[in-house]
Amino acid sequence: MNSEMDLSNNEYHEVGVDNEQDNNETVEEPKVGMTFSSVEEVWSYYMKYGKQKGFGVCKRNSKQGDDGNVRWFTLVCARQGTSKSKAANVLKPRQTEKIGCMARINATLNDEGGYTLSKVNLDHTHVCSPEKARHFRCFKKVNARVSKRFKINDEAGIRMKKNFKSLVVEAKGYENVPFEEERRNNIDNERQLRLGVGGAEALCNYFRQMQKKDPDFYYEMDVDNDLMLKNVFWADARSRAAYQSFRDVITFDTTYLTNAYKMPFVSFVGVNHHGQSILFGCGLISNEDMYTFEWLFKSWLNCMNDQPPNAIITDQDKALQLAISKVFPTSRHRFCLWHIMKKLPKKFGSHSRYEEIKSTLQKCVYDSLSEQEFEERWHDLLNTYDLHENAWLGSLYGDRRIWVPAYIRDTFWAGMSTAQRSEGMNAFFDNYVNSRTTLKQFVDQYDSALRRKVENEAIADFNSFNTNIPCISHYPLEKHFQKAYTISKFKEVQDELRGFLYLTTSLLGCEGRKYTYIVADEVQVSDELIKRANYIVKLDEDLLEVNCSCKLFEFRGILCKHALRILTQLGKSTIPSKYILDRWRKDIKRKYTFIKLIYEATSNPERQRYDRIQNCFYELCSNAAKTESNCVKLINQLEQLKLEFR
């Protein structure tokens, strides 16, 4: 009696193969009537075809006869079927790759004992990307050699981070490693750079070498009268191209580290369409004065074809402020709010009413929705705690238009409300340098760090195209954002939709097709405290415009819950295109993604030959080690070869 099997307890079982597809091999398209000698051969073939075309493969089901032979089985695209959310919170569904794709092949046992393709469907309901196919689970594998190395290195105390990085170097790129790093390590030791003997000369030679490989690699070096290195700036071709896509706002940070030679590392950082940090250039400087910053900013601006950013975030520093006003006169400059507020303990920690001052100042800064409201709360703060003579508060008030949220909400900051993004980029470099790293070695490691960042973006791109976050509402508006935005940005939209539960609306006025609403919002600050606020939402149906007094869209580029609430209340099924920003879209091809990084791949022919021979021996050793007789046979043959190649 035949029994029908559904693999893995009704879960779709993704399969893998041991044979790696030759990059130059072209796999023939599946056709009805194609024959194979075994189930494994069908699997291997369809896996290679899937990787070539850019989709994952899994085994759907099969039927087995009484004799134990598989009568027929179905291999499908990994994005077939539908998935029910298993998330405990229905308002926070998990992303899923299942979208009902019908691409598949059916193989049936034939009279010769092999298998023949009886049905073939080549049509996918989604975009297939061969370059990103390696991220599908079915193509991720750790072979015996790599597994053995991991085990030995782990016993020797070598962390997973370095294990994985060594494999990336050996494979000459993340794209050649058939699995992803499973965990990250944390390096808590202080990181410092040493210039080292001949560091400046080595650095200059390195930059020249990079520029020979790619004319778009850019660098500038500033030396003193004694030809000693003072400042250096560089940016690779990909960073320069990425700036053209995300030049609306950048952060500039100098707080990374200072080495024994007093050369702080500085970085120009933006955010990509996933909200990830993306590097636009970096440097080492000898001083933090206006003249040094001016040299650095001019170098960077020249590198970026004299295109200044729309907005720039920095730490609170007078020298920076003056340099920016000279080099970037048209850019909106703001101080990092996080850096300012973290100074509170230092400025008022010894005050007898410190906790009260801290709480009052935070409410003044974070809760003021308008300039007038901030002014009133600020003066109440000074009067209540007699702080009129406090010099620090006086300087902050003088600069209020470039750090207080109430004054800067009308400018787009891409969600970068603090400088922690820039520090996040610096922490990323921490994994690649240590206390013994020379200046030349640091620049070498810059390539490795950047490759990791590019890989993270590639994975996020893959997830945005090949998985979905289910909608949490029935509103058509949510569907529009789901289709257009990357996963990380769609999650931010869903965060706004969840806030509908705590909103109440009332019509304030109406003139023709122009409406004004009051939206009352309740935000739970703690278990005992609920903060209430009223927002004004204006809707013009003729101009297809909606504006909210919270200015979330102007500030972060995400339509706020107050505006979305009014749109859904009025039965709007589409979002005006102006409120779906191109910079958050997943379906736009950005030029910088086609630019490869300049890797330090070896050009030594002897080393290349050595690698080829070594790869052959890996497979040979793995096969021979399975039995004692084969092991002895191989060793004897190798002894003969030693005599021949002495």
Side-chain angles (χ1 to χ4, degrees), residues 2 63-67 69-73 107-109 115:
N2 292 339
K63 179 178 286 188
Q64 189 175 29
D66 293 335
D67 57 1
N69 290 325
V70 176
R71 296 297 181 185
W72 60 263
F73 63 95
T108 305
L109 184 66
Y115 290 87

Side-chain angles (χ1 to χ4, degrees), residues 2 136 169 263 301 438 490 510 520 615:
N2 292 339
F136 280 108
V169 173
M263 295 185 72
L301 189 61
T438 65
F490 179 57
C510 175
N615 288 333

Side-chain angles (χ1 to χ4, degrees), residues 221-238:
M221 303 182 76
D222 183 28
V223 296
D224 59 19
N225 294 331
D226 297 322
L227 299 181
M228 298 296 291
L229 179 65
K230 290 174 58 181
N231 310 298
V232 59
F233 165 79
W234 73 94
D236 65 279
R238 185 184 173 95

